[in-house]
């Protein structure tokens, strides 16, 4: 027997870029518990501050339940905790943990499995577990349900139920926020599917699309980003071809874009938590059933090569100006995976850095958005942060890797003693030596 939505208590497992905005949205309508194993993250959120900048502090503070007030007493709002016991009275569990790949590009389901084990110990009859993490088709029912059954002692679709509603968070985007993006929903039975759909309809103003099955919803999510990855790989390949032909790629794309049905993709680095990762999940499942995905993996190989390509092009232009390469100083502007946000997950700027370092160059990275502590922890390198502290004239090469708005005011211009390479097509063409 499903708990009526109006009486529901929702648990969000994982309070990162996906989980926190969703938790805040639910908290405006329902009793909501936000759980994360990162105690520092929990402490920050309890104080009303979000370091990812996805939720404005004022909005966060408006829904946070103070420690001296109970969630039941308040009636709705967000209780943030790292205590598993706080989830015991919840009847809907939404899993928003990361789904990364390992160094061999194989899917890592460990965070989802651990979250499922935690939930299973709390499951009661009538409870619903909804996964939002990006996965390949079949993960929810073939991988996670057995974990839930094993650790709960309950029977799937008799005692407890599942749903899948893929996240569509776009980090740093203040226009397409979680409630303004149409949401795909699904459930393990027709009644549960409708229940899950109505749950999201209560907070998603853009509306929902109820998929016919959990596997269809899983597949829809993973191809969204695989499609973008392949399209970007195509224009990245074009940029390599046009560079050899002495043609400006951006000018070609602008001209081609005058046709009504031309897709406006641009060349660049492909990182982040989705586009650079999700295709590997689909490829893994395809290979498990005996199909080798040629286009998907070809696109991944090409996009993963772009950091090294940028570094090589910079060095070629330095040599053409008779500038020393070994022991030279180079500046990389930007480290986050995209502009105007602090998200460094799976950033491919690290590929440019590593390739330049392999030529014994002295490489500085400056990014006013990225956390130096987080970069050191995740990548083991030091970066410059703050209000543009460096003297550009000390560098023989500058790579504009991320198009942060804060870089617009910098005096960046090519010279006889400095090569400027623009990855993003962000700078005036006459001020750079080359761009993708």
């Amino acid at each position: 027997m499903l708990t009526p939505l109006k009486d529901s208590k929702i648990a969000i497992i994982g309070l990162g870029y996906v989980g926190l905005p969703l938790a805040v949205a639910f908290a405006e309508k329902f009793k909501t518990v936000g759980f994360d194993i990162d105690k520092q993250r929990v402490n920050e959120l309890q104080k009303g501050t979000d370091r990812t900048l996805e939720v404005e502090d004022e909005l966060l503070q408006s829904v946070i339940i103070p420690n001296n007030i109970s969630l039941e007493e308040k009636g709705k709002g967000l209780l943030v905790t790292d205590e598993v016991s706080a989830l015991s009275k919840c009847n809907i569990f939404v899993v928003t943990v990361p789904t990364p790949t390992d160094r061999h590009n194989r899917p890592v389901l460990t965070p989802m499995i651990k979250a499922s084990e935690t939930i299973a110990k709390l499951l009661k009859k009538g409870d619903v577990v909804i996964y939002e993490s990006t996965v390949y088709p079949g993960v929810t029912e073939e991988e996670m349900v057995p974990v839930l059954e094993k650790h709960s002692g309950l029977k799937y679709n008799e005692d407890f139920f599942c749903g899948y509603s893929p996240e569509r968070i776009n980090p740093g985007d203040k226009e397409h926020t979680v409630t303004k993006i149409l949401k795909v929903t699904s459930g393990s039975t027709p009644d549960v599917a409708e229940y899950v759909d109505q749950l999201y309809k209560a907070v998603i103003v853009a509306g929902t699309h109820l998929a016919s099955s959990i596997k269809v919803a899983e597949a829809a999510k993973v191809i969204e980003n695989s499609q973008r990855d392949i399209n970007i790989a195509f224009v990245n390949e074009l940029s390599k071809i046009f560079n050899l032909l002495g043609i400006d790629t951006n000018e070609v794309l602008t001209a081609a874009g005058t046709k009504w049905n031309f897709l406006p993709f641009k060349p660049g680095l492909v990182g982040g938590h989705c586009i650079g990762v999700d295709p590997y999940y689909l490829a893994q499942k395809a290979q498990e059933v005996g199909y080798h995905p040629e286009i998907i993996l070809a696109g991944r190989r090409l996009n993963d090569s772009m950091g090294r390509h940028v570094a090589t092009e910079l060095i070629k232009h330095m040599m053409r100006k008779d500038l020393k390469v070994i022991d030279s100083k180079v500046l990389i502007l930007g480290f986050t995976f995209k502009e105007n946000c602090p998200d460094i997950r799976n950033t491919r700027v690290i590929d440019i850095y590593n390739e330049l370092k392999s030529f014994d160059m002295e490489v500085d990275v400056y990014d006013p958005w990225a956390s130096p502590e987080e970069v050191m922890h995740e990548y083991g390198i030091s970066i410059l942060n703050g209000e543009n502290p460096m003297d550009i004239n000390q560098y023989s090469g500058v790579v504009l890797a991320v198009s942060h708005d804060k870089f617009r005011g910098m005096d960046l211009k090519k010279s006889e003693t400095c090569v400027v390479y623009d990855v993003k097509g962000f700078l005036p063409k006459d001020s750079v030596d080359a761009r993708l």
Side-chain angles (χ1 to χ4, degrees):
M1 185 71 177
L2 297 170
T3 302
L5 283 179
K6 63 182 180 62
D7 300 324
S8 287
K9 188 174 181 181
I10 302 169
I12 307 295
I13 314 299
L15 297 175
Y17 283 86
V18 174
L20 181 64
L22 185 66
V24 169
F26 277 133
E28 293 184 290
K29 297 281 184 73
F30 300 97
K31 295 189 284 289
T32 307
V33 180
F35 174 83
D36 202 289
I37 60 174
D38 184 343
K39 193 171 186 65
Q40 181 182 351
R41 173 73 168 158
V42 168
N43 289 338
E44 290 173 358
L45 294 176
Q46 287 175 337
K47 295 174 182 176
T49 300
D50 172 28
R51 82 171 88 112
T52 70
L53 306 181
E54 289 302 300
V55 176
E56 295 179 0
D57 289 354
E58 184 178 355
L59 175 58
L60 178 60
Q61 291 162 15
S62 71
V63 298
I64 288 287
I65 303 294
N67 290 332
N68 61 340
I69 300 178
S70 72
L71 193 53
E72 284 71 19
E73 178 184 350
K74 189 75 173 177
K76 64 179 179 178
L78 177 62
L79 173 67
V80 179
T81 183
D82 60 348
E83 297 289 338
V84 175
S85 59
L87 307 173
S88 61
K89 294 183 180 180
C90 295
N91 63 290
I92 298 174
F93 299 86
V94 184
V95 178
T96 57
V97 297
T99 45
T101 54
D102 65 15
R103 62 191 183 93
H104 301 296
N105 295 320
R106 293 173 302 200
V108 176
L109 298 177
T110 305
M112 286 186 72
I113 292 171
K114 294 295 184 184
S116 298
E117 289 174 350
T118 298
I119 292 168
K121 296 169 185 175
L122 305 168
L123 273 184
K124 308 172 295 301
K125 289 189 176 183
D127 286 356
V128 178
V129 183
I130 304 168
Y131 292 91
E132 289 216 359
S133 306
T134 302
V135 293
Y136 53 78
V139 165
T140 298
E141 293 171 295
E142 297 167 14
E143 304 287 347
M144 298 304 126
V145 165
V147 174
L148 294 170
E149 286 187 323
K150 176 183 176 181
H151 293 275
S152 69
L154 300 177
K155 189 70 175 174
Y156 177 52
N157 277 346
E158 291 182 13
D159 301 320
F160 73 93
F161 307 90
C162 284
Y164 183 79
S165 181
E167 60 89 2
R168 279 179 168 171
I169 293 292
N170 187 25
D173 190 336
K174 300 306 179 186
E175 180 181 354
H176 302 98
T177 53
V178 62
T179 62
K180 298 177 183 176
I181 302 173
L182 193 141
K183 201 87 160 67
V184 174
T185 64
S186 64
S188 54
T189 71
D191 287 344
V192 172
E194 182 62 28
Y195 184 82
V196 171
D197 194 59
Q198 291 300 319
L199 171 68
Y200 282 100
K201 274 184 177 176
V203 296
I204 305 296
V205 297
T208 62
H209 172 86
L210 179 55
S212 60
S213 70
I214 286 176
K215 283 186 178 180
V216 167
E218 290 170 328
K221 171 57 180 178
V222 80
I223 71 164
E224 289 175 18
N225 291 318
S226 296
Q227 183 186 69
R228 284 185 56 80
D229 192 46
I230 291 166
N231 278 303
I232 296 170
F234 173 60
V235 292
N236 273 336
E237 187 163 65
L238 291 180
S239 74
K240 290 184 175 183
I241 295 170
F242 293 147
N243 176 60
L244 294 171
L245 295 175
I247 303 172
D248 186 279
T249 305
N250 283 273
E251 292 179 0
V252 174
L253 294 175
T254 298
T258 59
K259 189 180 181 187
W260 74 93
N261 61 352
F262 186 82
L263 301 178
F265 287 92
K266 290 187 175 182
L269 305 176
V270 182
H273 66 300
C274 283
I275 301 178
V277 173
D278 296 356
Y280 287 122
Y281 275 75
L282 185 55
Q284 169 78 16
K285 189 62 177 179
Q287 291 173 104
E288 284 180 7
V289 295
Y291 181 80
H292 179 73
E294 297 184 28
I295 294 176
I296 293 171
L297 291 179
R300 280 283 72 238
R301 285 193 298 272
L302 199 146
N303 284 339
D304 279 348
S305 75
M306 293 308 292
R308 295 188 299 277
H309 173 73
V310 168
T312 300
E313 289 299 303
L314 176 75
I315 290 168
K316 285 181 182 177
H317 283 278
M318 290 177 64
M319 294 175 70
R320 290 182 184 125
K321 288 187 178 183
D322 201 24
L323 297 175
K324 182 178 71 169
V325 173
I326 295 177
D327 295 329
S328 63
K329 293 193 69 174
V330 173
L331 173 65
I332 297 175
L333 291 173
F335 192 79
T336 58
F337 94 89
K338 66 178 289 188
E339 66 278 0
N340 304 323
C341 82
D343 195 345
I344 63 168
R345 292 174 296 172
N346 193 36
T347 176
R348 297 330 316 159
V349 179
I350 190 65
D351 297 336
I352 302 175
Y353 177 89
N354 288 335
E355 188 69 10
L356 294 175
K357 291 290 287 184
S358 74
F359 284 87
D360 295 330
M361 303 172 90
E362 185 180 335
V363 184
D364 287 339
V365 179
Y366 169 60
D367 194 316
W369 281 89
S371 162
E373 294 77 19
E374 190 177 357
V375 172
M376 174 58 72
H377 180 264
E378 294 295 327
Y379 298 95
I381 69 171
S382 297
I383 69 166
L384 303 170
N385 187 278
E387 297 299 323
N388 189 16
M390 78 290 296
D391 175 14
I392 297 292
N393 295 321
Q394 66 180 299
Y395 298 102
S396 300
V398 177
V399 178
L400 190 288
V402 185
S403 52
H404 292 316
D405 288 342
K406 294 180 180 180
F407 291 154
R408 290 191 186 279
M410 296 183 69
D411 185 20
L412 292 172
K413 195 167 186 179
K414 64 182 180 181
S415 69
E416 291 303 311
T417 58
C418 181
V419 170
V420 177
Y421 191 97
D422 184 2
V423 173
K424 300 293 291 183
F426 180 72
L427 303 169
K429 183 182 176 183
D430 61 1
S431 68
V432 305
D433 291 276
R435 58 187 184 178
L436 278 182

